[in-house]
Amino acid sequence: MRTAVFFHAHPDDEALLTAGTMAMLANEGHRVVLVVATAGERGLAELPHGEELARARMDELHRSAAALGCARVVLLGYGDSGLAIDGGVADDRPDNAFIDADIEEAAQALASVLKEETADLLTIYDPAGGYGHPDHVQVYRVGSRAAEIAGTPIVLEATVDRDLLLKGVRLASRFYPAIDVRSFERAYSPRDAITHRVNVRKYAKAKRAAMAAHASQATGGDGDRTLGAMLKIPGFAYRFVFGTEWYVRRGLPRGTRLRHPFDGSPQATP
């Protein structure tokens, strides 16, 4: 049995990016630990920002973690930094906003969990934080440093295949012209940088249950919410659309193709 720690910025991030991998590892008998930097109290939702939303989202997080087979959930206790209208750092963020946290201090907090768990693997985000949310960028900074402190041997950056994403966005823009395709051109990671492609179709039900647990994030705002739209996808199509999760492990040759998070030996590419 090995231990994998999944580090995320807000409740529901785990369901969107790494849920299938978490369920797979738990099913294989590994210990899965979920660490979240903030309670997501400034997320878009019908509930007002603050303690009420934080409590609701933490309850949702624990339901998601149970659906995925997590052995432990840890909240680092930083404030949700929020997001400005232009996608940048919000001006009205709280005093303890994660984006303003001292990286060394936050990394030490995460490293203490990694050491306590004798973690074999840590997941973070790519340097751009996926789509650029400030708290996601901070997850990369803090997580990278924490792994150095704790000596965690495997660090995987949870990401999305940008090439595949752009194909889907361009197709969708034909029906929804308001979609800004250009905003996705630097999001996540290019295909040739991805080292791990994990097939999680077998765990689609667990992944969908994790998404469904975050009910507060399926509604709210003036337009359709991403999570709500994802949950409307029929089961057979859901397994196909969300059946792969992608990761980048630094230091491996570009073009490496691995199939399991603990796999460190490149497979021959076709």
Side-chain angles (χ1 to χ4, degrees), residues 212-225:
H214 295 284
S216 71
Q217 299 305 290
T219 59
D222 298 327
D224 293 335
R225 299 298 305 280

Side-chain angles (χ1 to χ4, degrees), residues 27-251:
N27 184 69
E28 292 175 353
H30 302 292
R31 181 173 172 83
V32 175
V33 176
L34 173 58
V35 180
V36 183
T38 81
E41 69 275 11
R42 290 173 56 79
L44 180 60
E46 292 179 350
L47 291 173
H49 286 172
E51 292 185 8
E52 183 180 0
L53 180 56
R55 286 195 299 270
R57 296 198 70 181
M58 288 308 297
D59 287 343
E60 292 171 349
L61 181 71
H62 283 280
R63 286 196 290 273
S64 170
L68 300 175
C70 293
R72 181 186 180 191
V73 177
V74 179
L75 177 66
L76 291 188
Y78 289 99
D80 184 348
S81 304
L83 196 62
I85 295 176
D86 63 0
V89 179
D91 292 329
D92 59 344
R93 58 190 183 274
D95 293 338
N96 68 335
F98 184 48
I99 190 61
D100 296 323
D102 179 82
I103 292 178
E104 193 69 18
E105 179 182 288
Q108 289 286 354
L110 177 58
S112 69
V113 177
L114 296 174
K115 292 177 181 178
E116 182 181 349
E117 293 288 347
T118 318
D120 300 282
L121 179 152
L122 172 68
T123 72
I124 55 175
Y125 304 138
D126 56 45
Y131 63 94
H133 192 296
D135 282 340
H136 289 221
V137 175
Q138 190 76 324
V139 162
Y140 170 79
R141 296 169 181 158
V142 170
S144 298
R145 177 61 183 137
E148 291 178 354
I149 296 170
T152 305
I154 301 174
V155 179
L156 299 182
E157 298 170 10
T159 189
V160 174
D161 181 335
R162 183 194 298 164
D163 302 54
L164 188 61
L165 176 64
L166 281 173
K167 286 182 181 179
V169 170
R170 286 171 182 142
L171 177 62
S173 68
R174 297 180 183 178
F175 304 95
Y176 301 96
I179 294 177
D180 182 8
V181 177
R182 290 175 300 176
S183 66
F184 293 89
E185 290 177 350
R186 293 185 178 275
Y188 299 101
S189 304
R191 179 170 296 173
D192 65 349
I194 292 172
T195 57
H196 291 68
R197 296 156 179 82
V198 183
N199 185 337
V200 297
R201 291 182 185 177
K202 184 178 176 181
Y203 305 95
K205 287 185 178 180
K207 184 170 183 172
R208 191 171 191 130
M211 286 187 182
H214 295 284
S216 71
Q217 299 305 290
T219 59
D222 298 327
D224 293 335
R225 299 298 305 280
T226 300
L227 186 60
M230 289 176 173
L231 289 170
K232 292 178 182 178
I233 298 175
F236 68 91
Y238 185 96
R239 291 181 70 251
F240 176 77
V241 174
F242 299 107
T244 302
E245 291 177 349
W246 299 271
Y247 300 90
V248 175
R249 182 175 177 183
R250 301 289 166 176

